[in-house]
Amino acid sequence: MPRTTTLECPGCPPLRALTFDSLGLIKVIESRGERGTPQVVERWGDPVSSKCVLAASFDDRKKDPLLAVARKNREVEVVNPLNGEIHVVFSNVGEDGVQPEDDAISGLHLFRRERSSGSCTLLTCASKGNASMRSIGVDKSTADSASISVTKTWKVCGSGNVLCSKVDGSENYAVFGGKGVEVNLWDLENSTKIWTAKPPPKNSLGIFTPSWFTCTTFLSNDDHRKFVAGTNSHQVHLYDISAQRRPVLSFDFRETAIKAITEDQDGHTIYTGNGSGDLASFDMRTGKLLGCFIGKCSGSIRSIARHPELPVIASCGLDSYLRLWDIKTRQLLSAVFLKQHLTNVVFDSNFVDKEVAATAQNANEIQTTEVQTEDEMGTLPVKRKKASKEKREKKKKSEESKETIVLKSKKKSRKHKREICDDS
């Protein structure tokens, strides 16, 4: 029998995550309590293989949040992430008659800036390089009626397959890459390419190996000039468009393809997952391996998400487990088995556990009442404690000894006076 090890999971803080799988299901996982166990609380959709979720984008604002989902049959859905209600469904099939299997959606982004209530803007990119931006308006009174207008369309590449894309924090720029497609940066406002990477040189035998990028992310939300890309040849490249067209930093990670990359909020740390289930963090200032996360996954990692507030990341993949990790200790906090192959995971940063909030509020109230009572007690006269018997006895003895000394001194003084009188 194979040797197995069991890990004790301490549980994770209160959080809410949404997972997407190969059968098109959306599952809501919640953890309640200070060290709770995550559980599936809701499941949206029906299991259909043609509705496999390929990409997801989440706008988790407090008021009117939205979730966009791209499926294998080239349908895009705009969903309410609180109850699973579908607002809009539209097809991304073009007029060229390309079949969905030949040109699946590889990139999706739901714009957060300048989004009014009941309307949104979506960026979609297909594997053949067809990118488009759509403005969608939803009438809440009648969910079936939605106004969809294509505002911009352009071609990302002339050949190859686009496999990954990412929009920066300002939502003005986007990077695309794929199999036979060099990573390139686009200005979304003008739909123009502003930078493209230089192909790798030939090896020592004179053989040229075309690029094969599998995932990409920007290193910081504030700087669109630096981004990281993972390749199918287990390499991680750091690009700086202000420096050069080739990578400014490159290193290998294990021996399988890089499948998922996400950035940290500090602006220089990334989290990388590969096809053999290895998860690690790197410092991109030096390319140093900070450490591998304890508890190896048994399948390819397909998505990594960083919680916006808590020191927690989530990973999911083909082993059907959602795993939650502590960033500081790199230990496994909890794992949830979700039956299907998982493709994506996102966090809901506005989730608040009512029980934890109530206990915190009660603790604050108790603390304030204790402070008030202490202040009130400070104005009252303080009662002295009664001395113990031993202290009283010691006190009596000391008083008696003092009295005897005084009496002796008085006797001596009287005797001395008498002697003086007799002499006189």
Side-chain angles (χ1 to χ4, degrees):
M1 292 181 66
R3 183 178 298 173
T4 59
T5 58
T6 58
L7 293 175
E8 294 183 1
C9 300
C12 56
L15 53 82
R16 183 174 187 260
L18 284 78
T19 61
F20 312 89
D21 57 43
S22 59
L23 294 183
L25 299 176
I26 303 175
K27 296 180 182 179
V28 182
I29 292 90
E30 291 183 1
S31 172
R32 299 182 180 274
E34 293 183 357
R35 286 295 173 184
T37 302
Q39 295 179 351
V40 180
V41 295
E42 288 185 89
R43 193 188 80 167
W44 303 331
D46 298 322
V48 181
S49 60
S50 62
K51 290 189 174 183
C52 170
V53 178
L54 301 179
S57 182
F58 189 22
D59 181 9
D60 57 345
R61 60 177 62 185
K62 290 184 178 181
K63 185 180 180 181
D64 191 23
L66 283 179
L67 172 68
V69 177
R71 300 187 181 273
K72 187 177 179 181
N73 56 3
R74 294 191 68 182
E75 285 186 352
V76 180
E77 299 177 358
V78 179
V79 185
N80 185 350
L82 302 179
N83 53 19
E85 180 183 356
I86 299 176
H87 292 320
V88 182
V89 180
F90 65 90
S91 179
N92 199 43
V93 178
E95 298 178 356
D96 53 358
V98 179
Q99 297 296 323
E101 291 81 4
D102 299 331
D103 195 16
I105 297 175
S106 58
L108 177 69
H109 181 76
L110 176 64
F111 285 84
R112 297 167 176 81
R113 60 183 179 125
E114 299 178 359
R115 184 171 76 81
S116 59
S117 178
S119 65
C120 62
T121 304
L122 277 175
L123 169 65
T124 59
C125 182
S127 60
K128 296 299 181 183
N130 299 312
S132 61
M133 292 181 66
R134 289 177 172 85
S135 178
I136 302 172
V138 182
D139 187 3
K140 291 187 178 181
S141 60
T142 57
D144 296 333
S145 62
S147 61
I148 303 173
S149 60
V150 180
T151 57
K152 296 177 184 178
T153 58
W154 68 92
K155 191 79 171 176
V156 173
C157 61
S159 61
N161 293 324
V162 177
L163 301 179
C164 57
S165 66
K166 183 71 174 181
V167 177
D168 74 323
S170 65
E171 296 185 331
N172 293 322
Y173 304 93
V175 62
F176 301 91
K179 185 177 181 180
V181 180
E182 296 294 334
V183 285
N184 50 82
L185 191 68
W186 286 74
D187 184 354
L188 297 179
E189 187 175 355
N190 301 319
S191 301
T192 56
K193 186 191 295 186
I194 61 175
W195 182 88
T196 183
K198 185 178 287 187
K202 297 180 181 179
N203 59 12
S204 59
L205 300 176
I207 300 174
F208 172 72
T209 304
S211 301
W212 189 341
F213 295 97
T214 55
C215 51
T216 182
T217 187
F218 286 92
L219 195 59
S220 172
N221 290 328
D222 302 328
D223 189 4
H224 70 278
R225 296 172 298 176
K226 295 180 181 180
F227 58 89
V228 184
T231 68
N232 193 65
S233 56
H234 55 85
Q235 289 183 336
V236 179
H237 298 313
L238 172 63
Y239 290 92
D240 187 354
I241 67 172
S242 61
Q244 59 187 22
R245 293 178 58 193
R246 287 236 167 91
V248 295
L249 179 65
S250 296
F251 56 86
D252 292 346
F253 177 55
R254 297 290 192 269
E255 296 179 356
T256 54
I258 308 296
K259 293 294 184 180
I261 284 182
T262 191
E263 77 282 358
D264 196 86
Q265 297 172 354
D266 58 8
H268 56 79
T269 304
I270 64 165
Y271 305 98
T272 305
N274 64 4
S276 59
D278 298 303
L279 181 63
S281 58
F282 290 90
D283 188 350
M284 295 307 296
R285 294 173 295 185
T286 60
K288 181 182 178 182
L289 173 66
L290 298 178
C292 293
F293 287 77
I294 302 170
K296 181 180 171 63
C297 305
S298 57
S300 174
I301 296 175
R302 294 304 172 94
S303 179
I304 304 172
R306 167 73 162 88
H307 198 282
E309 298 175 359
L310 301 173
V312 176
I313 64 169
S315 67
C316 66
L318 300 185
D319 62 350
S320 305
Y321 273 94
L322 171 68
R323 288 180 168 86
L324 300 165
W325 312 83
D326 188 350
I327 291 175
K328 297 178 180 178
T329 61
R330 290 189 287 275
Q331 290 185 348
L332 181 66
L333 296 177
S334 188
V336 186
F337 182 65
L338 299 175
K339 297 182 181 180
Q340 286 82 26
H341 296 327
L342 302 177
T343 58
N344 276 282
V345 59
V346 294
F347 277 117
D348 185 0
S349 62
N350 292 316
F351 173 72
V352 178
D353 189 3
K354 295 180 180 179
E355 296 177 359
V356 174
T359 54
Q361 187 176 0
N362 293 333
N364 291 331
E365 290 177 358
I366 291 168
Q367 191 174 3
T368 53
T369 52
E370 286 179 354
V371 171
Q372 289 176 359
T373 53
E374 285 178 0
D375 293 339
E376 292 175 358
M377 290 294 290
T379 58
L380 296 174
V382 180
K383 294 182 178 180
R384 294 180 178 177
K385 293 182 179 180
K386 293 182 179 180
S388 60
K389 291 182 179 180
E390 294 179 357
K391 288 183 179 180
R392 276 184 257 167
E393 289 177 356
K394 288 181 180 179
K395 194 174 182 181
K396 283 181 180 180
K397 288 181 180 179
S398 62
E399 288 177 356
E400 288 176 357
S401 62
K402 285 180 182 179
E403 288 178 359
T404 53
I405 291 166
V406 170
L407 291 171
K408 286 179 180 180
S409 62
K410 284 180 179 181
K411 286 180 180 180
K412 285 182 179 180
S413 62
R414 286 174 187 173
K415 191 176 180 181
H416 183 64
K417 286 179 180 180
R418 285 176 187 172
E419 288 177 353
I420 292 169
C421 292
D422 293 337
D423 292 336
S424 61

